[in-house]
Amino acid sequence: MSTHPSRPSYAAVLRVPHARRAFTAALAARLSYGTVSLAVLLSVTRATGSWAVSGLVLSLFGATTVFLMPLRAALLDAHGPRRALLPMSVLYGALLTVLAVLTWRPGAPAAAVAAAAALAGCCAPPLGPVMRALWSELVADRALLQRAYSLDGVAEELLYVSGPALVGGLMAVAPPAAGILLSAALNTAGTCALVTSPAMTAPRPAARAERQPARVRGLLPPVAVALAVGLALSSVELLVTAFATERSYDPALVPWVLGALSAGSALGGLANGALRWRTTARARLYRFAAALGLTLAAAALAPGLWTLTGVMALAGAFVAPALTTAYLLADESATEATRTRAGAWVNMAVNTGSSGGAMAMGLLIGRVPLEVCFLLAGGVAVLPAVVAGRRIRDAPAVL
């Protein structure tokens, strides 16, 4: 545990004993999740010559990765990360290697490729929940823990931005399947460094003694908000593209608009961690979700792409705070025996929303006015706050 000033800095988070090594190792391993999706998509397309097959393979990989995450997290809670995390990562890396070998050259059998991808997703270690559970063990003070979660969330978002760029650079000198090998190597090497770090202690006696799965209580608020944020954000990607197409803007400008959303999220996450809030985590959670939804709804009034870019940057300022607070609230609701699983449920909710939102909005665009689509995307994010609004009796947030 660490001592720190009344307003702890982000440097104070990294000065917590053993935190820097564990965090660096976890980021290296989690970078693999920023590289693997694009690498799988491009390598399978090249190997099979079919976008339909590559889409199916990527969907299978994503589904097994996301929906089985709570189960893998339960194994970690039951047996401890030292015993369960590294074998999980080694098996995941081995299956990714098989997938890379199958797709290295054109002519790969689609059934074998799909099976390898699905099995690899079944074994993907839940590194984000593991690191957040570890932060909770390393940091006793809740204010410093909030800052640690904010730092973790912003760093993770940057990994998902830099991962595809890394794959693109690698493709200049190697086939796309090399990106799958890189993902396997990053995950296994980073996980090995994490589990051998001094911060990764053996399971506590209470968690080790518990043989029956413990129920995770109090997760509905963070899971509901995480699901809503995922739904809204995946809708935004399609909405911005449709907005640019409808108004005859250059499609090359779309990534800049989405980049403004990511930049706003990073800045909002850092600001959220820097502030000392006096309201409860649950109250902040609903308020961040409501602010995100109202800002997205306001995008319906944007007269042009540059105004939309500014609105997206403002909306992004509430994304990381909402997700960080969801993880923080899940941690508060968990016991020692369920901490990793609690974070995994929030993680699963975000990813499930990301998949479902894109599908639903894809069906709506072109059938209803774009302004209505923006309102619906915003309404999804506001909904959890509206449902729970009558229960919140906290005073306004002050520093």
Side-chain angles (χ1 to χ4, degrees):
M1 306 306 174
S2 67
T3 58
H4 51 82
S6 59
R7 279 187 175 272
S9 65
Y10 283 106
V13 173
L14 297 178
R15 285 197 297 267
V16 172
H18 312 307
R20 185 176 303 177
R21 175 178 167 180
F23 186 43
T24 302
L27 288 180
R30 290 153 79 182
L31 177 58
S32 66
Y33 296 138
T35 59
V36 70
S37 294
L38 181 60
V40 168
L41 177 65
L42 296 177
S43 61
V44 173
T45 302
R46 180 175 182 268
T48 64
S50 170
W51 284 102
V53 171
S54 62
L56 175 63
V57 169
L58 194 60
S59 296
L60 286 172
F61 176 74
T64 53
T65 298
V66 171
F67 293 117
L68 294 180
M69 181 178 290
L71 176 61
R72 296 191 296 271
L75 291 174
L76 294 174
D77 279 332
H79 302 289
R82 277 188 180 273
R83 294 178 59 188
L85 189 60
L86 187 56
M88 201 179 289
S89 178
V90 169
L91 187 55
Y92 174 70
L95 288 166
L96 283 185
T97 301
V98 171
L99 181 60
V101 171
L102 287 172
T103 58
W104 195 267
R105 292 184 177 85
V113 170
L119 289 173
C122 290
C123 303
L127 293 164
V130 166
M131 187 62 222
R132 282 181 281 269
L134 187 57
W135 280 124
S136 186
E137 292 181 10
L138 293 173
V139 180
D141 183 86
R142 299 303 295 182
L144 188 59
L145 181 61
Q146 175 183 311
R147 186 159 293 208
Y149 273 29
S150 295
L151 178 63
D152 190 278
V154 170
E156 185 174 56
E157 184 162 339
L158 292 177
L159 293 182
Y160 281 96
V161 172
S162 59
L166 185 58
V167 171
L170 183 62
M171 284 180 58
V173 295
I180 302 179
L181 289 179
L182 173 65
S183 302
L186 284 169
N187 194 286
T188 304
T191 301
C192 184
L194 177 62
V195 299
T196 56
S197 68
M200 188 66 76
T201 57
R204 296 183 179 181
R208 189 168 47 241
E210 188 172 349
R211 298 301 180 188
Q212 298 300 321
R215 294 184 65 185
V216 187
R217 301 179 183 275
L219 281 184
L220 183 57
V223 168
V225 169
L227 178 65
V229 171
L231 285 166
L233 290 182
S234 61
S235 300
V236 164
E237 295 183 7
L238 292 178
L239 288 171
V240 170
T241 303
F243 185 97
T245 302
E246 186 179 275
R247 307 292 179 90
S248 301
Y249 287 99
D250 185 348
L253 295 175
V254 170
W256 291 98
V257 182
L258 299 177
L261 181 73
S262 297
S265 179
L267 293 174
L270 292 174
N272 175 61
L275 300 177
R276 184 176 290 276
W277 301 97
R278 294 183 183 177
T279 50
T280 64
R282 180 173 295 197
R284 297 198 307 274
L285 178 70
Y286 292 133
R287 289 169 182 174
F288 288 140
L292 170 63
L294 292 173
T295 308
L296 289 179
L301 304 175
L305 195 65
W306 298 117
T307 304
L308 183 66
T309 302
V311 174
M312 289 298 109
L314 180 59
F318 303 109
V319 172
L323 294 178
T324 297
T325 308
Y327 284 117
L328 194 64
L329 185 58
D331 180 79
E332 291 178 356
S333 305
T335 65
E336 285 296 327
T338 61
R339 180 160 283 131
T340 307
R341 207 181 330 162
W345 276 105
V346 176
N347 199 313
M348 187 189 78
V350 176
N351 289 301
T352 301
S354 296
S355 301
M359 182 182 303
M361 192 55 67
L363 295 174
L364 289 174
I365 292 176
R367 292 178 170 84
V368 298
L370 204 55
E371 293 79 5
V372 175
C373 291
F374 274 109
L375 291 174
L376 290 173
V380 166
V382 171
L383 185 60
V386 172
V387 171
R390 295 180 180 178
R391 304 176 186 176
I392 298 176
R393 295 292 183 268
D394 299 278
V398 289
L399 304 184

